[in-house]
């Protein structure tokens, strides 16, 4: 596991920490930790949030994960309606929209909805992933048992939906996704 991965995992588990605390928790040298942190700060993965508590001497600068470094889109597509939510990596909802779409070209509506949400929220962050819920059984790249959505049971339909996004897309049954939360 890379030093960056270990450091990100540590911040996810324990929250904001100083360089010294991270170095101690990961049992890594301060120079190794500083190089890794500086790289992640430059990439925008981490952010400095201000001084922590001093235990004598100068207070340490606390670091945390930048929740807006990447964004997540959650989408539910039903017979007539597309619902889409934009969230950050901490799970905070940044925006939501609902619209009716043309059943013969849902990928056009998906692209437009994503563009609208990202524009409304002035996001320069990249979408890390998309989770798309459909009313039917999703299996081996096909949608089955969705009698009200025959347009999505056709060959290549789910592939066209995936192509609407420039990110990884997970497609599953909408009820399964709701159960996960």
């Amino acid at each position: 596991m890379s030093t960056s991965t270990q450091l990100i995992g540590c911040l996810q588990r324990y929250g904001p920490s100083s360089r010294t605390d991270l170095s101690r928790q990961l049992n890594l040298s301060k120079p190794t930790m500083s190089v890794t942190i500086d790289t992640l700060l430059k990439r925008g993965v981490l952010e400095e949030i201000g001084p922590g508590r001093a235990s004598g001497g100068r207070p340490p600068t606390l670091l945390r994960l930048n929740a807006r470094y990447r964004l997540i889109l959650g989408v539910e597509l039903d017979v007539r309606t597309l619902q889409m939510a934009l969230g950050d990596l901490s799970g905070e909802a940044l925006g939501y929209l609902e619209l009716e779409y043309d059943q013969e070209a849902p990928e056009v509506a998906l692209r437009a909805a994503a563009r609208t949400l990202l524009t409304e929220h002035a996001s320069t962050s990249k979408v890390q992933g998309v989770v798309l819920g459909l009313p039917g059984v999703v299996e081996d790249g096909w949608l089955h048992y969705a009698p009200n959505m025959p347009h999505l049971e056709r060959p290549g339909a789910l592939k066209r939906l995936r192509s609407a996004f420039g990110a990884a897309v997970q497609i599953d049954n909408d009820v399964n996704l709701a159960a996960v939360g």
Side-chain angles (χ1 to χ4, degrees):
M1 187 179 316
S2 75
T3 304
S4 294
T5 302
Q6 290 177 356
L7 185 130
I8 290 168
C10 191
L11 287 169
Q12 285 174 324
R13 272 189 304 282
Y14 303 112
S17 302
S18 70
R19 290 173 186 250
T20 302
D21 290 339
L22 290 166
S23 181
R24 207 175 297 129
Q25 288 171 347
L26 296 172
N27 198 26
L28 294 169
S29 71
K30 288 181 183 179
T32 299
M33 190 57 59
S34 284
V35 168
T36 304
I37 288 170
D38 289 343
T39 300
L40 293 173
L41 283 167
K42 285 177 189 161
R43 288 179 45 207
V45 177
L46 301 181
E47 57 189 0
E48 294 179 336
I49 59 169
R53 291 184 186 215
S55 58
R58 188 176 73 176
T61 300
L62 296 178
L63 302 160
R64 72 173 172 200
L65 291 174
N66 177 3
R68 303 272 168 99
Y69 173 65
R70 294 283 190 257
L71 302 174
I72 305 294
L73 284 171
V75 183
E76 183 175 357
L77 202 60
D78 65 24
V79 177
R80 292 183 185 90
T81 310
L82 176 157
Q83 298 174 63
M84 185 178 288
L86 177 68
D88 67 17
L89 295 176
S90 73
E92 181 182 342
L94 305 175
Y96 172 83
L97 63 77
E98 183 173 331
L99 55 91
E100 289 190 13
Y101 71 97
D102 175 4
Q103 288 189 354
E104 294 304 316
E107 64 277 4
V108 173
L110 289 169
R111 268 191 220 95
R115 193 170 31 253
T116 298
L117 274 178
L118 290 168
T119 301
E120 281 179 7
H121 298 282
S123 177
T124 57
S125 297
K126 294 180 181 176
V127 173
Q128 177 73 26
V130 178
V131 179
L132 175 60
L134 298 171
V137 176
V138 178
E139 184 177 72
D140 298 326
W142 288 80
L143 179 66
H144 306 283
Y145 307 110
N148 294 329
M149 300 179 82
H151 58 289
L152 292 179
E153 290 186 325
R154 296 181 191 139
L158 297 188
K159 186 176 181 180
R160 283 192 306 280
L161 292 181
R162 286 183 198 282
S163 74
F165 304 101
V169 179
Q170 176 186 341
I171 300 176
D172 202 345
N173 173 267
D174 54 357
V175 176
N176 291 345
L177 292 173
V180 172

